[in-house]
Amino acid sequence: MGVKDSLLTDEMMDTIIANAFEWIVVVDHRGEIIYLNDSYSAFLDVDSKTVIGKHVTEVIENTRMHHVVQTGKEELADLQYIRGNYMIANRVPIFNSNKEVIGAYGTVIFRDTSEWDKMNSHVKSMLGRIRNYLQEYEQQTGVKYTLEDIIGKSKLIQTLKEKVKHIASSDVSVLIRGESGTGKELFAHSIHQLSNRSSMPFIKINCAAIPEHLLESELFGYEEGAFTGAKKGGKKGKFLLADGGTLFLDEIGDMSLPMQIKLLRALQEGEVEPIGAQKPVQVNVRVIAATNRPLEKMMEEKRFRDDLYYRIHVIPFHIPSLRERTEDIPMLVEHFIQKICKRTGRRITSVTPDALSVLSRYRWPGNIRELENVIQAAVHLSTGDKLTLEALPDYLTASYSIPIGSKSLKETLEDAEKQAIIQTLENVHDDKLEAAKLLGISKSSLYEKIKKYHIG
């Protein structure tokens, strides 16, 4: 037999690829299928010829081939859920001589039905173990979120994620700034989870949610008999509970001056003194603080201590508002739809372009928290498999455009002024003095407008 006779012919290659144990799909630069081998076609129960030219998302469940074409980045050994089973998929971009992406090919590992059933059962078992481990980790440490839970590919978010990775291993204090609803707590959890303290407790306390007379005992604890009604055996404070780990002081800007002094002493000395105790107790705690308050202005007004500010402000983090990263809204909308559908059993597969346009143009004073609440309501109000404009709240669609001719210019301006005051008051937790400063008006003018517009 000559060398020529031993070479594989094109026909032989086609037969081998078509019937390969691995399932193979190839898409062009638009994400449209240009090849699907027979093994994959048989599993999907489609005709390999009729699917040519269709977008890959119409044929393959949970595919990411179109994302690989867009990003030009390969995805190897990725779990993919197809027709009731977990598969292991590889997706690789195809480049031309100019380094431009012209398509992508994907393979799914598959042997035979019985072998795959065993492998799929093993994968499900492993996923179950991982879920159990994560639940135990959450119960033991209090950590609920990681960097993967922070959704967004905008430059602002990617820069912050890299910053988290860079500083997590250090023990320095971190101050997270940002409007309400921007996800400050997610970053605090992520910093702890990536730190050397990750196996130790992550303890959170909301300084604004606890009455002033209870905050000291919550932070530092108390001894048995320290005061009337004290629990038998006393109570450990958040500092002691977080010993060896991280203490997250949320809304620290709402803490009173007397409590700020006691907190500063604990941070400087590395020790706390429970109420009624005879001597202080040493603690080893990393502090992450968060606030939406303008601490610098509060220091000028003697409402926040300078020395405490510089103690917690070693590494500052500013979390952008949603209106500063509107390019992340489509990804967040998709994430919340999937999350809510998984929890409720609803089947919403996408969002209509006009609905997404409204969602992308709204100002979102409540940021990501408001967006999630809106998507949750819209999912329940949707009647088909798409989230439509009609399912969105009226106030959202009303803010999308000004109805020409329905109101005079004076009425339109008054509506805008009223909305600006409402949103500002929400952002500063009804702090009238702070709202007046942000709006650039006097406090008396603000009160007049609140009365005029019946803002209660």
Side-chain angles (χ1 to χ4, degrees), residues 314-331:
V314 179
I315 296 181
F317 262 76
H318 173 72
I319 313 302
S321 64
L322 190 51
R323 59 185 170 275
E324 293 176 87
R325 56 181 187 108
T326 53
E327 62 266 44
D328 286 335
I329 289 178
M331 184 183 296

Side-chain angles (χ1 to χ4, degrees), residues 260-277:
Q260 290 177 33
I261 295 171
K262 293 175 181 177
L263 173 61
L264 178 63
R265 187 180 303 125
L267 297 179
Q268 287 176 332
E269 304 299 329
E271 60 184 28
V272 297
E273 191 168 332
I275 300 172

Side-chain angles (χ1 to χ4, degrees), residues 335-347:
H335 169 73
F336 289 136
I337 287 175
Q338 291 177 358
K339 175 182 173 182
I340 294 161
C341 287
K342 185 177 181 180
R343 187 175 68 237
T344 61
R346 301 297 301 273
R347 184 168 177 80

Side-chain angles (χ1 to χ4, degrees), residues 172-322:
V172 296
S173 299
V174 178
L175 177 61
I176 304 175
R177 313 286 289 270
E179 295 177 9
S180 179
T182 50
K184 296 188 289 294
E185 185 176 346
L186 270 68
F187 280 93
H189 280 259
S190 299
I191 292 169
H192 174 80
Q193 192 265 333
L194 290 175
S195 74
N196 297 329
R197 298 172 176 261
S198 59
S199 62
M200 302 303 287
F202 176 89
I203 302 296
K204 171 192 171 184
I205 183 168
N206 189 319
C207 303
I210 299 172
E212 173 66 22
H213 66 284
L214 296 178
L215 187 55
E216 182 177 2
S217 64
E218 283 294 316
L219 279 172
F220 308 126
Y222 57 80
E223 296 291 312
E224 182 177 343
F227 50 82
T228 303
K231 189 188 298 183
K232 185 177 181 181
K235 176 184 175 180
K236 281 188 175 182
K238 301 296 187 185
F239 265 94
L240 279 173
L241 291 173
D243 192 21
T246 303
L247 178 61
F248 177 43
L249 299 171
D250 199 9
E251 306 295 355
I252 195 172
D254 291 75
M255 186 179 285
S256 70
L257 284 170
M259 277 305 305
Q260 290 177 33
I261 295 171
K262 293 175 181 177
L263 173 61
L264 178 63
R265 187 180 303 125
L267 297 179
Q268 287 176 332
E269 304 299 329
E271 60 184 28
V272 297
E273 191 168 332
I275 300 172
Q278 299 300 313
K279 58 181 181 178
V281 181
Q282 289 290 320
V283 290
N284 174 16
V285 171
R286 180 188 193 174
V287 169
I288 299 176
T291 185
N292 61 0
R293 298 277 192 173
L295 297 186
E296 292 78 7
K297 287 186 178 181
M298 291 176 68
M299 286 191 294
E300 292 175 9
E301 297 161 358
K302 306 301 180 184
R303 292 192 290 153
F304 199 85
R305 292 183 62 91
D306 298 40
D307 42 11
L308 177 59
Y309 174 82
Y310 293 116
R311 172 65 64 172
I312 63 174
H313 193 257
V314 179
I315 296 181
F317 262 76
H318 173 72
I319 313 302
S321 64
L322 190 51

